[in-house]
Amino acid sequence: MALQTDLTAGDFATLRQTMVECQIRTFDVTDHAVIARFLDVARENFVPAAARGLAYSDTALKIAAGRRLLTPMVLARMIQAAGVKPDDRVLDVAPGTGYSTAILAGLAQRVVALESDPELEALTKANLAAAGFSNVPVFGGPLHDGVASAAPFDVIFINGAVEARLDPLCAQLRDCGKLIALWRTPGAANQHACRAVLFERNSGAVSRRDLFDAAGPLLDAFRAEPAFVF
């Protein structure tokens, strides 16, 4: 199917409104601040140029080998579930192109991004600067290591599915801090099925709450080690 490449700013604004009304609101996203961010941030500036015509589709767009963006409706509902407050410090893990970071930057006091792919790290920096978010620091490094130098965080947001290796990130949460990600059970028959899960740290202990079914790409940094078979 050929993509539309001659869309105007007005066309994109209309598509953005349609995305919010037909995808995000219908997926139980009701938080006015979250909805306002998705209306404000131009997603077409945060997707590969060849895919701009699909910027507001419900497709998990490929951005690099083994990496895809979360669909807008899943991203929105996860951000709503995280309950980001105006005075929060947030770590955005694996933003890919910086879209999630730009959304979060309008909700929290301070947002730090962490990207493991050097090309995506550079792309995130460039996209955020072009969108006027030059004050958002973007770090490069292993995703499961987090950014200890900027911790503690009130919210850690992971843009994808995880199976394991969350302990270092949970250790970077402040008391009552929350981590949200998609959880994929290692070895499950349906490897595409995930659940959004919320981890919360209280007095050093971490609890888990399952939220809703969703689909998303597994991030290699959080892949469980293969079980040893006798």
Side-chain angles (χ1 to χ4, degrees), residues 10-187:
D11 294 330
F12 280 123
T14 299
L15 290 171
R16 194 177 312 127
Q17 181 74 47
T18 300
M19 174 194 73
V20 169
E21 297 299 328
C22 298
Q23 297 177 43
I24 291 176
R25 287 187 186 272
T26 59
F27 199 46
D28 294 332
V29 178
T30 58
D31 187 289
H32 294 297
V34 173
I35 290 171
R37 290 305 299 152
F38 278 84
L39 287 170
D40 287 344
V41 178
R43 194 171 192 255
E44 68 270 20
N45 296 330
F46 291 88
V47 302
R52 291 190 86 208
L54 293 175
Y56 295 102
S57 72
D58 59 356
T59 304
L61 297 176
K62 182 177 179 179
I63 53 174
R67 293 286 299 276
R68 293 180 180 271
L69 293 177
L70 292 173
T71 62
M73 66 181 189
V74 171
L75 176 64
R77 190 161 172 190
M78 288 175 67
I79 290 176
Q80 175 177 265
V84 180
K85 300 185 294 296
D87 59 349
D88 277 351
R89 180 183 291 264
V90 178
L91 173 62
D92 190 26
V93 178
T97 65
Y99 179 63
S100 57
T101 313
I103 296 289
L104 290 163
L107 298 171
Q109 181 181 74
R110 173 79 164 167
V111 178
V112 174
L114 172 64
E115 183 50 66
S116 59
D117 183 306
E119 291 186 4
L120 292 179
E121 177 192 351
L123 182 60
T124 293
K125 289 178 179 178
N127 286 344
L128 289 172
F133 296 102
S134 56
N135 62 333
V136 175
V138 180
F139 291 82
L143 300 179
H144 59 271
D145 283 352
V147 184
S149 62
F153 300 102
D154 300 285
V155 174
I156 296 178
F157 187 92
I158 301 180
N159 285 270
V162 304
E163 295 178 334
R165 307 181 78 185
L166 292 179
D167 288 349
L169 287 177
C170 288
Q172 292 176 27
L173 289 171
R174 69 170 73 251
D175 197 46
C176 297
K178 294 171 288 188
L179 181 152
I180 190 163
L182 299 178
W183 181 265
R184 193 175 90 169
T185 302

